[in-house]
């Protein structure tokens, strides 16, 4: 029975093969394009369908609109290497570049954000000593001091944090167009070999933007001016300013709030020497990981918290109007140019992970490396030197800035633990004491939303004064970012501090 079935199947296959050999082969059969396929004389012509199809084929590609070419610029005999931005000669990192009609807009995303521009041909610094570009900052944007230009060459490589391989310019953020110039020999003396690319910084704010109209390598500053003049003559009427946000009131954002502080004491005595700090191990306090270097240490028989490149903070934000007294013992880990100290009354605006160890962009690494996007920071700079600062929104310059005062004291914060007390009366004054003596005061008033402050939608005490013990004003602002809500934190950036016996009591 099986043999008969096999015989029938084989016969059917042979018949089908015979019919297939008589069929017309489709034109797209995978044969060489110069081969002619002959149609057998016995082939039956394809029948014409009786129903006329009026619908247009759906697989026909839509014709893209023709883009008018840019007018040709007359730059004479100028010798320069100009990048064609429409050809996308760039590599973005945590940013989104998009070519507009005339310029490249670069929008910042989350993360370590920058963009590399690649040159069409490598060149030596001696041949083209300048890189220049035309840029326009978006409203309220700035470039943090830790986000630099980096050289990329086929000699010394890059991008590299090596001294002489990176540099900066003074960015102008007045919404208009400006020319940025990099003097390669003076600003990048360690860049050896030929330039193949350069890494640009991008702006700080997530979804913030800036625009670039042209980039090139030039032989002289006169050539830069000549090219820019030709560009302006051709396209100047299209180089519009960046726009300010609308004038309508912001919608206030209120974070999740608690009615008062928990008065739990944190004294670290439940831990052993060199136990690492980690999130979730403290009652009512949280640990925010930076470089994860913080630990508990034994100092003169007491276990204390040693914080470095991380942050420890009260795990909650307290509603406006609450008064409190925070007490703790403090010792500085030594003189440094990077922030180490404490921050109080900071908001929740962009600190979604409460990342107070991060540089807030107000000063660069090695220049202060300030932390905290709002509130008041107390930065221990040496044996008796303390910098007090409050972030503000500079209305005239459309960017975040800060006010500060540096206090010289006779107290050696590096030598031994001192007693700190921070007392907020809940209505208009915070007083900071060290060993029961007033170190400084912050007087605050005028709660409200700062409409033009990008990224800040909570309420702040907009009017603040930093004063000495007698009430004499040392610094002030009417557009400060001193939160109406209550909070407390200790933090360090490559700067060790020691804290112990932390307690925050509510003022009844």
């Amino acid at each position: 029975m099986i043999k008969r079935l096999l015989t029938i199947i084989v016969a059917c296959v042979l018949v089908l093969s015979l019919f297939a050999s008589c069929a017309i082969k489709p034109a797209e059969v995978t044969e060489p394009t110069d081969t002619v396929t002959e149609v057998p004389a016995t082939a039956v012509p394809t029948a014409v369908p009786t129903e006329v199809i009026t619908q247009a084929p759906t697989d026909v590609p839509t014709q893209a609109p023709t883009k008018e070419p840019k007018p040709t610029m007359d730059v004479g005999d100028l010798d320069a290497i100009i990048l064609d931005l429409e050809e996308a000669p760039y590599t973005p990192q945590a940013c989104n570049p998009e070519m507009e009609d005339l310029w490249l807009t670069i929008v910042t995303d989350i993360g370590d954000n920058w963009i590399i521009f690649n040159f069409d041909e490598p060149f030596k610094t001696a041949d083209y000593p300048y890189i220049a570009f035309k840029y326009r900052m978006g409203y309220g944007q700035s470039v943090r001091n830790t986000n630099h230009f980096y050289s990329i060459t086929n000699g010394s490589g890059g991008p590299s944090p090596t001294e002489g391989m990176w540099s900066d310019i003074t960015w102008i953020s007045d919404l208009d167009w400006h020319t940025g110039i990099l003097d390669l020999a003076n600003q990048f003396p360690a860049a050896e070999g030929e330039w193949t690319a350069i890494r640009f910084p991008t702006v700080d704010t997530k979804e913030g933007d800036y625009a670039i109209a042209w980039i090139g390598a030039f032989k002289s500053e006169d050539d830069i001016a000549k090219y820019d003049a030709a560009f302006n003559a051709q396209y100047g009427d299209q180089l519009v300013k960046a726009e300010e946000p609308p004038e309508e009131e912001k919608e206030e954002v209120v974070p999740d709030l608690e009615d008062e502080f928990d008065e739990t004491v944190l004294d670290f005595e439940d831990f052993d020497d060199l136990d690492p700090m980690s999130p979730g191990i403290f009652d009512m306090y949280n640990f925010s990981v930076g470089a994860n270097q913080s630990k508990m240490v034994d100092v003169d028989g007491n276990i204390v918290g040693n914080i470095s490149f991380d942050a420890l903070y009260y795990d909650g934000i307290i509603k406006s109007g609450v008064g409190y007294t925070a007490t703790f013992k403090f010792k500085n880990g030594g003189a440094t140019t990077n922030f180490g100290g404490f921050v109080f009354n900071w908001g929740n605006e962009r600190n979604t992970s409460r990342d107070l160890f991060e540089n807030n962009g107000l000063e660069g690494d090695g220049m202060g490396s300030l932390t905290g996007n709002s509130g008041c920071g107390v930065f221990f700079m040496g044996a008796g030197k303390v910098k007090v600062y409050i972030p503000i929104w500079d209305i005239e310059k459309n960017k975040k800035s800060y006010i500060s005062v540096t206090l010289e004291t006779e107290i050696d914060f590096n030598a031994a633990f001192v007693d700190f007390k921070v007392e907020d009366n809940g209505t208009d004054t915070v007083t900071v004491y060290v060993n029961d003596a007033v170190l400084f005061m912050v007087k605050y008033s005028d709660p409200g939303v700062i409409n033009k402050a990008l990224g800040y939608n909570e309420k702040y005490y907009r009017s603040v004064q930093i004063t000495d013990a007698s009430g004499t004003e040392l610094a002030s602002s009417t557009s400060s970012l001193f939160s109406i809500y209550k909070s407390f934190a200790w933090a360090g950036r490559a700067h060790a501090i020691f804290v112990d016996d932390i307690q925050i009591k509510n003022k009844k």
Side-chain angles (χ1 to χ4, degrees), residues 293-354:
Q293 297 178 351
S294 303
K295 52 189 176 293
M296 273 64 74
V297 296
D298 188 321
V299 177
D300 299 328
N302 291 322
I303 301 297
V304 304
N306 176 208
I307 302 169
S308 177
F309 232 123
D310 302 302
L312 178 71
Y313 59 92
Y314 182 83
D315 193 13
I317 302 177
I318 313 304
K319 68 183 182 181
S320 180
V322 170
Y324 66 85
T325 300
T327 58
F328 54 93
K329 295 184 183 299
F330 179 90
K331 179 176 178 291
N332 189 37
T336 178
T337 55
N338 290 310
F339 177 85
F342 59 91
V343 181
F344 57 87
N345 295 8
W346 46 288
N348 194 49
E349 56 287 320
R350 290 184 292 172
N351 297 316
T352 53
S353 63
R354 315 298 278 168

Side-chain angles (χ1 to χ4, degrees), residues 185-254:
N186 292 322
Q187 293 182 253
F188 303 90
E192 300 174 345
E194 296 177 311
W195 286 76
T196 58
I198 183 169
R199 197 182 98 172
F200 270 51
T202 52
V203 297
D204 300 345
T205 309
K206 175 177 165 50
E207 297 183 355
D209 69 277
Y210 75 134
I212 295 179
W214 56 258
I215 302 175
F218 296 85
K219 288 187 176 295
S220 68
E221 292 190 73
D222 286 342
D223 283 350
I224 295 170
K226 183 177 180 181
Y227 183 83
D228 190 47
F231 190 93
N232 291 338
Q234 187 68 62
Y235 304 113
D237 59 342
Q238 301 177 49
L239 292 176
V240 296
K241 285 187 174 184
E243 295 182 357
E244 291 193 18
E247 289 294 329
E248 61 261 21
E249 291 288 322
K250 276 187 178 180
E251 182 178 349
E252 180 191 353
V253 173
V254 179

Side-chain angles (χ1 to χ4, degrees), residues 34-197:
D34 58 350
T35 301
V36 178
T37 303
E38 294 186 1
V39 181
T42 56
V44 178
T46 305
V48 177
T50 56
E51 183 179 354
V52 178
I53 300 174
T54 58
Q55 183 177 352
T58 58
D59 58 348
V60 176
T62 304
Q63 187 71 25
T66 305
K67 186 173 182 180
E68 293 193 16
K70 285 185 179 180
T72 303
M73 283 172 45
D74 181 12
V75 292
D77 58 352
L78 179 69
D79 182 3
I81 302 173
I82 307 297
L83 297 186
D84 185 348
L85 297 178
E86 292 186 344
E87 294 298 321
Y90 46 74
T91 305
Q93 164 67 29
C95 66
N96 301 299
E98 183 177 350
M99 195 67 197
E100 307 285 344
D101 289 338
L102 185 60
W103 56 78
L104 183 72
T105 298
I106 305 168
V107 179
T108 296
D109 206 338
I110 294 175
D112 185 11
N113 46 288
W114 40 262
I115 184 169
I116 290 175
F117 288 97
N118 304 292
F119 293 100
D120 299 330
E121 55 185 288
F123 63 91
K124 294 180 179 179
T125 296
D127 295 330
Y128 294 93
Y130 299 93
I131 292 176
F133 55 96
K134 196 175 191 70
Y135 72 92
R136 183 200 68 187
M137 305 289 282
Y139 175 82
Q141 301 306 313
S142 59
V143 174
R144 67 182 183 274
N145 291 336
T146 54
N147 199 356
H148 313 290
F149 293 90
Y150 287 89
S151 60
I152 303 176
T153 68
N154 57 18
S156 50
S160 168
T162 303
E163 192 72 24
M165 295 279 284
W166 57 269
S167 190
D168 299 290
I169 66 167
T170 300
W171 297 90
I172 302 174
S173 56
D174 62 357
L175 310 182
D176 210 344
W177 291 90
H178 299 278
T179 302
I181 300 177
L182 296 167
D183 183 336
L184 305 186
N186 292 322
Q187 293 182 253
F188 303 90
E192 300 174 345
E194 296 177 311
W195 286 76
T196 58

Side-chain angles (χ1 to χ4, degrees), residues 442-458:
V442 175
K443 297 184 181 296
Y444 57 83
S445 61
D446 189 24
V449 176
I450 302 177
N451 289 327
K452 292 195 174 186
L454 293 183
Y456 292 87
N457 286 60
E458 297 178 11

Side-chain angles (χ1 to χ4, degrees), residues 379-451:
F379 174 11
F380 293 85
M381 304 178 74
K385 192 174 180 181
V386 181
K387 182 174 184 174
V388 180
Y389 64 91
I390 296 175
I392 69 169
W393 188 264
D394 189 322
I395 300 297
E396 288 186 5
K397 295 183 179 179
N398 304 323
K399 63 189 294 186
K400 187 172 67 176
S401 184
Y402 69 97
I403 58 170
S404 70
V405 59
T406 300
L407 306 172
E408 299 281 354
T409 77
E410 296 181 357
I411 301 170
D412 187 348
F413 297 106
N414 300 338
F417 279 89
V418 295
D419 293 318
F420 267 94
K421 179 170 70 173
V422 180
E423 191 172 59
D424 186 340
N425 66 7
T427 56
D428 60 11
T429 305
V430 180
T431 306
V432 177
Y433 302 84
V434 57
N435 292 341
D436 293 326
V438 175
L439 183 62
F440 68 92
M441 295 186 290
V442 175
K443 297 184 181 296
Y444 57 83
S445 61
D446 189 24
V449 176
I450 302 177
N451 289 327

